[in-house]
Structure formats: structure tokens, C-alpha cells
């Protein structure tokens, strides 16, 4: 038989739990009255419940991902968990656990700049995911119907369709407000205040703040503090971003505006240029005042809706969402990169990679285009791989 550390456990949480956990649970049932009932668990106990941790681990394992600053891979984590989980759980319950800094990586953006992302350790990804699973139901029901990012059952296509609907309803002008470095400028005190409105468990609140302040390690090994921001890349960050911007949604709804928001990307649709200018001014005041965020004035505008881009789309001549010229240019550039002759790849590998890329691109951007447009794309790039239709 294989040793305990040589197999992949069927239930990681069972292997991470102390060996006498089952016996302790039985003793507590026999001596009823001494211990709290399940429904009276603290929130931290809910976060660390075996079924919640197991679901968190399954999610992290499925997402895979690179190691954090400790170099531990997803594959190596089960053995680590079996050995160290009792100590880690005790530290979490006592409020003594200290998250590791995230590993900073930079992802190139189409405009030539770089987007900073944070890679937490696998252990911290599991704990963050467990937190998110408990916290999300508390906040989800209160989020706006016009918030589409990082929410179950909602997606970017729905946000784009919302913009289309506004155009058809006669809202032909928009406020395109760009939040400068949003994920790096979230005010921690303000966010913690929002969390305290629904979270009473001091251990959970303390753990979240420690995640916010864990710091980052740059590629050159330099460690930086994080007095502001919610590092992109952790399982908890999307929920915290939506909590941060929920007051913005509520303010727009209170004023009776139509809008669509996907994370920090949003448009407010109005009926006149004068209204767009007025909303731009008041919205900037609200974002930089109560929300304590920063509006990027160079990238923000009050303009005709057809001049605004949103999630890679804009309103076309027929009043329907069409992919932007920049999105199409990025598509053609990536196709050239995949098919360039000096890559040294087998022809079939190139064809497979090209088909995967084109299929994913069309799955996202093809929502508004006719079959003729798809055939035109196919025809434009067919010479790179004869007899291999890209839209297959």
C-alpha cells in the first residue's frame, strides 16, 4: 500500500483535520448542552467547516494556477495540508494567522502598459476561497441588477445587452467613467466599514484586513506594503471589489439612472449631451468624495454612446453592439503571432492553437455579428492554414 503522504486524498479536508476530530464531535453530541448547536457556529467556524474547506480546495485545484512566494504548487499542497492544517486552523481560530505576501506579476495590456496581478500562495487561495463562499450569500442578494462582473449567472454579454437596450430606449449619450488603478486604490478603512455592516465576527474581519495589508513581493524580490488596494488575483478580491462599488450602484439607482457595470468598467446612459455633462460632474464628485477613489480624467468622457467602448464593444450603425476596431486589430495581431513561420511548431499544433484562440474569440465577440461577418474573418485568415476553417 502507498503511504499516507503518497496518495491524493479523496477528501482533502478529512486528511487536513486532526485525527481525533470525529471522536470529539461524537463526545460533544453525547454531552449535549455544553456546546453550541451547528446553527450557532461563529462565522469563522463556518469558514473552516470541513465541507466548506473541501469545496474551496476543489475550486482552487480546478483553477490550478502558479505558485505564490513559497513556490508551492497545487499538486504539492495536499501533503502540506495533511501535515500542517491542525496548526494553521488553530492560528485562524485564535486570530494569529498571518497571510503571506502575494507574488506580484505584470501582464501586458493592449495599450502597451502592464496590469499588476497578485499571486497568493495555494494555502491563502484555499482560505480566501473558503471566506468568499461564506461571505458571498450575505452580500449577493443586495447587489444591483445592473452589476454583472464576478457574479454567478451573470456575464459580460448581459452587460453589453443592457447597453443595447438603453440605446433602443432613446438613451443615446453616456458617461464613460474610468476609475484610475481601481484595484490599487481601494480604501481599506472604508471597505472594512462596509463589511462590518453585515459581518459581526471579529476574527473574520481581522483576517480580511490582514489579507488586504499582507503586502506584495515584486519580481526583483523587493517587498512593498499595501496600505491601499485589493490585489487582483486572489479568490476574495472580486467579491471585495463588488462590495466596494455597491454604493456607486445604489447612488446611480437612487438618481434613476440607467447603467451597466462589470467590475470597475461601467457606463451610465442618459438622453442628452447636457445630462451627460451634468452626470459626469456629479459622478466624479461622488467617486472621489464618499468612495475615496480616483477618476482618470484623461480616459473618462461624456459623449454620444456610439463613441464609447465597453468590454470590447461599441454601438454600431444599426444600434447593435459590434466589436471595436481595437479588438479586431488585437485579434489579427494574435493570429499573426500564432502562425508566424519561425515559431518552430508542428503544423498541426499551430492549427490546434489557432482554432482554440479563434473559437474563444468568436464565442465572446460573435454575439452581435452576422454569419457573413464570421465568414469574412475566416476568409481573411484562411491562407495561413489552408483547408482549415477558423470558425469551425
Amino acid at each position: 500500500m502507498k503511504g499516507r503522504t503518497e496518495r491524493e486524498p479523496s477528501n482533502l479536508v478529512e486528511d487536513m483535520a486532526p485525527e481525533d476530530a470525529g471522536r470529539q464531535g461524537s463526545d460533544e453530541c453525547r454531552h449535549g448542552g455544553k456546546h453550541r448547536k451547528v446553527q450557532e457556529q461563529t462565522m469563522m467556524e463556518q469558514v473552516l467547516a470541513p465541507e466548506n474547506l473541501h469545496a474551496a480546495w476543489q475550486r482552487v485545484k480546478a483553477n490550478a494556477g502558479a505558485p505564490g512566494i513559497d513556490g508551492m504548487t497545487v499538486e504539492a499542497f495536499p501533503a502540506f495540508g495533511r501535515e500542517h492544517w491542525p496548526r494553521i486552523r488553530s492560528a485562524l481560530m485564535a486570530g494569529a494567522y498571518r497571510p503571506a505576501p502575494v507574488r506580484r506579476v505584470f501582464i501586458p495590456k493592449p495599450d502597451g502598459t502592464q496590469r499588476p496581478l497578485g499571486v497568493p500562495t495555494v494555502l491563502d487561495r484555499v482560505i480566501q476561497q473558503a471566506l468568499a463562499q461564506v461571505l458571498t450569500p450575505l452580500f449577493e442578494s443586495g447587489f444591483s441588477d445592473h452589476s454583472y462582473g464576478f457574479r454567478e449567472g451573470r456575464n459580460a454579454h448581459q452587460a453589453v445587452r443592457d447597453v443595447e437596450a438603453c440605446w433602443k430606449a432613446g438613451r443615446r449619450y453616456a458617461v464613460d467613467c474610468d476609475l484610475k488603478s481601481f484595484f490599487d486604490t481601494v480604501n481599506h478603512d472604508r471597505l472594512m466599514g462596509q463589511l462590518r455592516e453585515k459581518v459581526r465576527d471579529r476574527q473574520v474581519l481581522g483576517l480580511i484586513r490582514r489579507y488586504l495589508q499582507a503586502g506584495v513581493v515584486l519580481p526583483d524580490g523587493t517587498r512593498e506594503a499595501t496600505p491601499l488596494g485589493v490585489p487582483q488575483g486572489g479568490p476574495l478580491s472580486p467579491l471585495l471589489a463588488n462590495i466596494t462599488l455597491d454604493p456607486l450602484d445604489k447612488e446611480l439607482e437612487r438618481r434613476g439612472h440607467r447603467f451597466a457595470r462589470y467590475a470597475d468598467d461601467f457606463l451610465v446612459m442618459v438622453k442628452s449631451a447636457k445630462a451627460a455633462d451634468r452626470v459626469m460632474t456629479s459622478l466624479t464628485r461622488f467617486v472621489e468624495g464618499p468612495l475615496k477613489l480616483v477618476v482618470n480624467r484623461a480616459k473618462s468622457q461624456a459623449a454620444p454612446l456610439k463613441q464609447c467602448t465597453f468590454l470590447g464593444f461599441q454601438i454600431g450603425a444599426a444600434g447593435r453592439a459590434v466589436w471595436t476596431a481595437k479588438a479586431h486589430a488585437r485579434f489579427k495581431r494574435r493570429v499573426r503571432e500564432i502562425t508566424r513561420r519561425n515559431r518552430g511548431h508542428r503544423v498541426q499544433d499551430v492549427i490546434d492553437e489557432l482554432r482554440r484562440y479563434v473559437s474563444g474569440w468568436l464565442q465572446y465577440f460573435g454575439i452581435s455579428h452576422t454569419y457573413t461577418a464570421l465568414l469574412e474573418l475566416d476568409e481573411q485568415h484562411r491562407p495561413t492554414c489552408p483547408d482549415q476553417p477558423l470558425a469551425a
Side-chain angles (χ1 to χ4, degrees):
M1 292 180 62
K2 291 185 177 181
R4 181 177 175 83
T5 59
E6 295 176 334
R7 63 181 176 85
E8 171 72 4
S10 58
N11 185 329
L12 175 66
V13 175
E14 291 178 357
D15 283 49
M16 289 164 66
E19 293 182 359
D20 62 348
R23 177 172 55 79
Q24 289 175 349
S26 299
D27 291 344
E28 290 173 5
C29 291
R30 286 195 298 270
H31 298 88
K34 181 179 178 180
H35 300 278
R36 292 187 306 272
K37 296 179 180 179
V38 173
Q39 61 265 34
E40 296 175 348
Q41 283 182 317
T42 66
M43 181 173 286
M44 182 61 83
E45 288 172 335
Q46 294 174 35
V47 170
L48 300 179
E51 62 275 12
N52 188 56
L53 280 172
H54 180 59
W57 161 241
Q58 292 300 320
R59 185 73 172 268
V60 170
K61 183 169 65 170
N63 290 339
I69 64 168
D70 60 357
M72 183 182 299
T73 64
V74 171
E75 293 77 16
F77 179 72
F80 170 86
R82 286 191 292 269
E83 180 178 354
H84 297 284
W85 180 246
R87 172 182 56 81
I88 295 168
R89 187 185 191 283
S90 296
L92 286 163
M93 289 300 300
Y97 177 77
R98 294 294 180 267
V102 300
R103 181 170 64 86
R104 177 70 84 199
V105 297
F106 294 94
I107 307 300
K109 296 171 64 176
D111 61 3
T113 61
Q114 293 184 316
R115 181 189 305 278
L117 295 178
V119 183
T121 64
V122 178
L123 172 61
D124 283 324
R125 297 208 290 268
V126 172
I127 297 172
Q128 284 193 36
Q129 181 63 39
L131 280 167
Q133 290 167 182
V134 171
L135 292 173
T136 295
L138 290 179
F139 292 91
E140 173 61 30
S141 61
F143 287 153
S144 170
D145 289 339
H146 300 286
S147 168
Y148 296 96
F150 311 125
R151 298 177 64 191
E152 189 72 26
R154 292 174 172 269
N155 56 53
H157 287 173
Q158 294 170 333
V160 172
R161 295 304 191 202
D162 201 350
V163 174
E164 280 185 328
C166 286
W167 171 270
K168 293 175 183 177
R171 295 176 179 271
R172 307 293 173 86
Y173 292 83
V175 174
D176 183 359
C177 186
D178 183 89
L179 300 181
K180 185 176 182 180
S181 304
F182 166 71
F183 283 90
D184 294 326
T185 57
V186 172
N187 183 279
H188 291 173
D189 290 338
R190 187 184 168 280
L191 173 58
M192 294 305 301
Q194 290 179 259
L195 288 167
R196 279 193 291 270
E197 292 177 6
K198 294 189 177 183
V199 178
R200 298 289 183 264
D201 191 311
R202 297 177 64 181
Q203 301 289 34
V204 169
L205 291 169
L207 179 59
I208 293 173
R209 183 176 280 277
R210 289 194 294 276
Y211 271 118
L212 294 173
Q213 299 179 338
V216 299
V217 175
L218 301 177
D220 64 1
T222 304
R223 179 168 175 170
E224 286 188 351
T226 50
L228 294 172
V230 178
Q232 289 177 275
L236 191 57
S237 298
L239 174 62
L240 296 182
N242 275 332
I243 292 173
T244 297
L245 291 175
D246 186 57
L248 171 64
D249 299 341
K250 296 296 190 291
E251 179 67 13
L252 292 173
E253 290 174 340
R254 187 187 67 79
R255 298 182 186 184
H257 293 313
R258 287 289 303 274
F259 67 97
R261 181 175 68 80
Y262 190 96
D264 60 324
D265 197 351
F266 66 98
L267 290 178
V268 183
M269 279 67 67
V270 296
K271 293 186 176 182
S272 70
K274 184 176 180 180
D277 289 335
R278 184 178 65 251
V279 173
M280 182 80 238
T281 299
S282 62
L283 187 59
T284 299
R285 188 182 305 118
F286 181 79
V287 167
E288 296 188 336
L291 296 190
K292 300 183 183 300
L293 298 170
V294 181
V295 173
N296 188 336
R297 287 167 171 76
K299 294 184 178 180
S300 299
Q301 61 174 340
L305 183 53
K306 285 187 175 181
Q307 295 179 14
C308 300
T309 62
F310 183 57
L311 303 177
F313 292 89
Q314 64 187 108
I315 297 296
R320 298 176 58 204
V322 298
W323 58 59
T324 64
K326 285 186 177 180
H328 192 195
R330 288 197 296 270
F331 170 82
K332 292 190 290 186
R333 183 168 59 249
R334 180 58 182 151
V335 167
R336 287 194 296 270
E337 291 173 354
I338 294 173
T339 57
R340 68 177 186 268
R341 298 183 183 278
N342 62 351
R343 292 185 73 202
H345 288 53
R346 294 189 310 118
V347 172
Q348 188 59 50
D349 291 341
V350 172
I351 293 172
D352 292 343
E353 182 180 359
L354 185 62
R355 180 176 286 117
R356 285 193 300 271
Y357 174 71
V358 173
S359 176
W361 196 92
L362 293 179
Q363 185 177 3
Y364 181 74
F365 284 103
I367 62 170
S368 64
H369 275 261
T370 63
Y371 185 64
T372 301
L374 301 186
L375 289 178
E376 289 175 356
L377 278 180
D378 186 12
E379 190 64 31
Q380 289 172 13
H381 301 290
R382 182 188 291 268
T384 59
C385 294
D387 301 322
Q388 295 288 337
L390 301 184

